[in-house]
Amino acid sequence: MIKVKNLVKKFNDKVVLNNINTTFEPGKVNLVIGRSGSGKTVFMKCLLGLLTPEEGELFYGNKDFYSLSEKEQKNIRKEMGVVFQSGAIFDFLDVEGNVRFPLDMFSNMTQKEKIDRVNYCLEKVNLQGTNKLKSSELSGGMKKRLAIARSIALNPKYLFCDEPNSGLDPQNAVTIDELIYNLTHEFNTTTIVNTHDMNSVIKIGEKVIFLYEGHLWWEGSNENILKTDNKELIDFIFASSLAQKLLKTS
Amino acid sequence: MNLFEGITDYLLVMKKTFTRPVKFKTMVQQIVHEMYYLGVESLPIVCFLSLFIGIVVMIQIAFQMESPLIPKYTAGFITRVVIIYEFSPTIMSMLLSGRVGSRIAAEIGTMKVTEQIDALEVMGINSASYLILPKIIAFVLIMPVIITFSIFCGLFGGYLITMITGEIPTSEYFYGLRAFFTSFEITYALIKSLFFGFIITSISGYYGYIVEGGALEVGKNSTKAMVQSSIFIIIFDVILTQIFLG
């Protein structure tokens, strides 16, 4: 479980995250939604420890992450799997090398065990047989799936995905959503996904938090998000012309 | 960023760089890999440039030596001194800062803007140590080899031109190469190459590591890496020359 208490993040005098309080439970897909510039990526970077907030506490289990030593923080990071917005695929390694990288660095597996694990992870994301491809030979969707495969190589307790669907066609986006949902339930991970894709919200958002101008504006699930009377959230959900048409016809 | 901030920043990155690697075996593999890409791949251009500089130096000296009072072997002697003392260790290092330095800065800078460095950090890997340290060690180790090749090619260039023009007899050239020679000359050149190898890789690694933004900033920092490396090579050349020869 991840618990966030009174988190405040500023850049110079600009408050980007203002007093955020929330909890992310294991075995659930937690979505963080909001307009571009609402602070989603900053929030995720604070959760990952890549940015240090001015105020607040962050608990991984019962450990206050920000008060831990660098070594203790590293130990928690080894339990994290992260899918960055760009994929962040290591371009100096091939597909197999990317998935194998965390295993090489942190496991004591034999070569055969590593290869088996790589193949298992690639199979999970439907990339079997692509072991020797270079990152430049992969499509956008394949890169995202490879990033997911790398992030699950060490069986993470916490899975973070920053806009995993951005730049993908609707079918690939659905595939990625299903993948994240299945992995979360299969391995009981605490999954946090930044997105502004409403399909993802409806399909996999077991818990949804809406960030608006740096505030946690709304919190709920995909079941009650469409029943909300929160004006800012409604404006966000039904911003696209397709959604507006559906709203009018319903 | 002012000079003081820049130096402080550089030292902080270096402090982060010189830490225990996560896995020694992986680092050894990286060092071997970098020795090939930064060192061995630089050899053709180093040898080519050194050969022609050797030829030009020899032609220039032979052209200046019209007085019969100056012994012919002086041409070989001066070529040797120029090549060993300054051209191969210093000027060649400045040229390498363009090839190797900009490559390192661009590679690490691109990794920074494409979030690959963030990916390393969230895995619990010290990205500075993982990316910069093997490059520094590899290049410092391979630099003396590169400079030795450069010296050999430079002197060989001088020999070629004596053969082609015949203006300075080959025997005189070889006598000049050996005249008043002490092994310290080579030691001095190789010591300088170690320092310059460190300067090129650490400064370029630093400029790559601090990139913020996109492709434009990667380009800017690659240029800065090359320029700053060249400036520090010249400054340390003065300091080392004063220490060893002053």
Side-chain angles (χ1 to χ4, degrees):
Chain A
M1 188 198 285
I2 300 172
K3 198 168 187 179
V4 182
K5 272 186 170 178
N6 308 320
L7 194 90
V8 176
K9 178 65 193 167
K10 297 174 188 172
F11 288 110
N12 298 320
D13 288 335
K14 191 177 186 308
V15 181
V16 180
L17 295 174
N18 199 344
N19 204 30
I20 307 287
N21 287 286
T22 191
T23 304
F24 300 111
E25 287 171 14
K28 272 190 179 179
V29 180
N30 301 275
L31 298 190
V32 181
I33 60 171
R35 292 164 59 179
S36 296
S38 60
K40 297 191 299 291
T41 300
V42 173
F43 182 52
M44 185 166 279
K45 286 193 172 179
C46 287
L47 296 179
L48 294 170
L50 290 173
L51 292 173
T52 309
E54 274 65 33
E55 291 171 38
E57 291 167 312
L58 169 65
F59 290 92
Y60 279 88
N62 54 5
K63 290 178 183 166
D64 182 1
F65 187 78
Y66 298 129
S67 63
L68 296 176
S69 68
E70 206 170 310
K71 197 182 169 191
E72 288 169 320
Q73 285 188 353
K74 273 186 183 174
N75 287 335
I76 290 184
R77 281 185 171 144
K78 286 173 195 166
E79 297 179 332
M80 294 177 183
V82 185
V83 179
F84 284 90
Q85 198 169 346
S86 61
I89 301 302
F90 299 136
D91 42 25
F92 55 92
L93 297 171
D94 58 14
V95 167
E96 184 177 301
N98 266 280
V99 184
R100 209 177 132 142
F101 185 81
L103 302 173
D104 283 338
M105 298 308 275
F106 299 115
S107 80
N108 294 317
M109 290 178 175
T110 63
Q111 293 298 324
K112 188 181 178 307
E113 285 170 338
K114 283 179 191 169
I115 298 290
D116 288 346
R117 180 70 189 163
V118 168
N119 289 334
Y120 171 80
C121 294
L122 289 177
E123 208 178 300
K124 278 274 165 209
V125 298
N126 285 327
L127 281 178
Q128 58 271 39
T130 60
N131 299 44
K132 297 299 167 198
L133 290 183
K134 291 177 185 168
S135 67
S136 56
E137 294 171 292
L138 303 177
S139 68
M142 288 168 92
K143 279 184 184 172
K144 289 277 164 71
R145 280 185 280 153
L146 174 57
I148 293 173
R150 187 179 66 189
S151 71
I152 61 168
L154 284 173
N155 268 333
K157 272 172 82 175
Y158 312 102
L159 181 63
F160 298 86
C161 306
D162 190 10
E163 302 197 13
N165 296 338
S166 66
L168 297 183
D169 63 87
Q171 279 179 325
N172 255 317
V174 169
T175 309
I176 297 283
D177 282 344
E178 284 172 354
L179 196 57
I180 291 169
Y181 184 85
N182 292 338
L183 291 170
T184 303
H185 288 267
E186 193 176 337
F187 301 111
N188 198 38
T189 54
T190 306
T191 302
I192 300 171
V193 181
N194 273 356
T195 187
H196 42 215
D197 182 351
M198 287 315 297
N199 290 321
S200 304
V201 174
I202 303 302
K203 199 168 166 59
I204 62 168
E206 292 166 286
K207 176 175 177 173
V208 183
I209 68 169
F210 174 56
L211 291 183
Y212 181 74
E213 294 183 350
H215 295 82
L216 200 163
W217 208 255
W218 184 89
E219 204 167 354
S221 72
N222 54 358
E223 284 164 7
N224 51 26
I225 197 167
L226 293 174
K227 298 169 195 159
T228 181
D229 55 358
N230 187 306
K231 186 186 174 306
E232 285 77 15
L233 182 56
I234 291 170
D235 288 348
F236 174 76
I237 297 170
F238 299 104
S240 74
S241 50
L242 176 65
Q244 280 172 3
K245 273 182 191 169
L246 289 172
L247 184 67
K248 278 175 194 168
T249 53
S250 66
Chain B
M1 191 191 295
N2 64 36
L3 183 66
F4 180 72
E5 279 176 346
I7 292 171
T8 314
D9 240 28
Y10 168 79
L11 291 175
L12 285 173
V13 172
M14 285 304 110
K15 188 184 164 212
K16 197 177 171 192
T17 301
F18 286 93
T19 47
R20 197 171 174 273
V22 177
K23 276 210 169 169
F24 274 102
K25 191 184 160 196
T26 309
M27 198 176 78
V28 171
Q29 287 170 344
Q30 283 179 285
I31 290 171
V32 173
H33 176 88
E34 298 295 350
M35 280 171 90
Y36 180 80
Y37 282 104
L38 300 178
V40 177
E41 283 199 345
S42 299
L43 282 177
I45 188 69
V46 166
C47 292
F48 178 80
L49 291 174
S50 301
L51 184 78
F52 279 83
I53 290 291
I55 290 171
V56 170
V57 168
M58 188 61 195
I59 292 173
Q60 295 265 10
I61 293 166
F63 178 71
Q64 303 294 332
M65 284 180 38
E66 285 180 348
S67 169
L69 295 174
I70 302 171
K72 295 258 186 216
Y73 73 82
T74 310
F77 172 74
I78 295 174
T79 304
R80 184 192 87 213
V81 169
V82 169
I83 298 282
I84 295 180
Y85 275 75
E86 280 310 314
F87 172 72
S88 286
T90 309
I91 307 300
M92 192 47 70
S93 294
M94 289 170 74
L95 294 171
L96 281 172
S97 73
R99 189 193 178 278
V100 173
S102 56
R103 178 185 175 142
I104 291 173
E107 182 186 321
I108 297 176
T110 305
M111 288 185 75
K112 184 82 185 285
V113 300
T114 53
E115 297 179 305
Q116 293 177 53
I117 286 184
D118 283 346
L120 286 171
E121 289 288 332
V122 294
M123 282 181 198
I125 295 166
N126 177 341
S127 55
S129 174
Y130 181 78
L131 294 172
I132 304 174
L133 188 58
K135 288 179 171 54
I136 293 177
I137 295 173
F139 201 57
V140 167
L141 288 176
I142 199 91
M143 252 312 242
V145 179
I146 296 174
I147 298 308
T148 305
F149 268 89
S150 169
I151 291 171
F152 176 79
C153 291
L155 299 180
F156 183 69
Y159 163 68
L160 275 184
I161 205 68
T162 59
M163 288 231 309
I164 294 164
T165 64
E167 205 151 314
I168 307 283
T170 307
S171 59
E172 290 288 318
Y173 176 73
F174 278 121
Y175 180 77
L177 289 186
R178 294 194 303 270
F180 316 111
F181 176 77
T182 61
S183 59
F184 176 74
E185 289 176 25
I186 300 290
T187 310
Y188 167 71
L190 297 185
I191 288 172
K192 285 212 295 189
S193 73
L194 296 177
F195 276 87
F196 298 158
F198 177 80
I199 287 170
I200 293 168
T201 43
S202 64
I203 290 179
S204 310
Y206 162 72
Y207 273 106
Y209 199 74
I210 61 161
V211 168
E212 296 283 347
L216 191 67
E217 282 74 19
V218 173
K220 278 182 186 171
N221 276 30
S222 299
T223 309
K224 275 186 198 169
M226 197 196 90
V227 172
Q228 295 291 334
S229 299
S230 301
I231 291 170
F232 278 92
I233 284 170
I234 283 294
I235 292 170
F236 272 83
D237 189 34
V238 173
I239 295 168
L240 292 171
T241 305
Q242 182 59 34
I243 291 170
F244 288 105
L245 304 178

